[in-house]
Amino acid sequence: MSWQTYVDDHLMCDIDGNHLTAAAIIGHDGSVWAQSSSFPKFKPEEITGIMKDLDEPGFLAPTGLHLGGTKYMVIQGEPNAVIRGKKGSGGVTIKKTGQALIFGIYDEPVTPGQCNMIVERMGDYLIDQGL
């Protein structure tokens, strides 16, 4: 299965008639493995900041999490595993695997919990596969 299939069929899947706004699988080095057409164009330093926050929880708290120029308030996460951000009625969930970051961006009517479940389930699967 191609990385694009993971994004198209598993991250951008139907959630009670709705979908994530955007999704991507990005290597720890910032290389794009696959992304939805709606995923924002991000800067390398944004990925560097996300990786640093995963290693040092709280690193992004003062400045917020930036992705494609959009600022999200960091609301919670799990050290070296997950970052969750919020902006208005939407937000972002980022799950770290051994080699990649799984991104899910959502807006209402998709809930934070639905986004977390999709992104984290995909991340856990890839971790189980050694990726």
Side-chain angles (χ1 to χ4, degrees):
M1 190 169 2
S2 76
W3 291 114
Q4 194 61 50
T5 304
Y6 281 109
V7 170
D8 295 342
D9 295 352
H10 299 284
L11 292 172
M12 298 297 289
C13 64
D14 182 81
I15 314 159
D16 298 330
N18 301 299
H19 302 271
L20 294 178
T21 306
I25 302 173
I26 297 173
H28 288 179
D29 61 357
S31 60
V32 175
W33 294 11
Q35 64 184 12
S36 63
S37 59
S38 54
F39 195 77
K41 180 143 178 55
F42 59 88
K43 299 180 179 116
E45 58 267 24
E46 293 173 332
I47 302 303
T48 304
I50 290 165
M51 289 296 294
K52 188 162 176 71
D53 191 79
L54 284 159
D55 290 337
E56 298 173 29
F59 174 75
L60 290 176
T63 59
L65 183 160
H66 290 80
L67 187 62
T70 299
K71 180 179 176 180
Y72 297 89
M73 180 176 63
V74 179
I75 52 171
Q76 66 179 35
E78 297 159 33
N80 215 25
V82 179
I83 298 175
R84 296 181 187 100
K86 188 98 174 102
K87 178 176 175 58
S89 60
V92 62
T93 302
I94 305 164
K95 170 77 174 180
K96 181 182 178 188
T97 71
Q99 299 176 24
L101 298 170
I102 315 299
F103 287 80
I105 299 173
Y106 67 93
D107 214 332
E108 286 185 334
V110 175
T111 67
Q114 289 170 319
C115 181
N116 294 345
M117 185 178 67
I118 289 170
V119 171
E120 293 176 40
R121 191 178 287 165
M122 169 64 69
D124 291 341
Y125 170 78
L126 294 176
I127 289 167
D128 288 346
Q129 301 304 306
L131 298 166

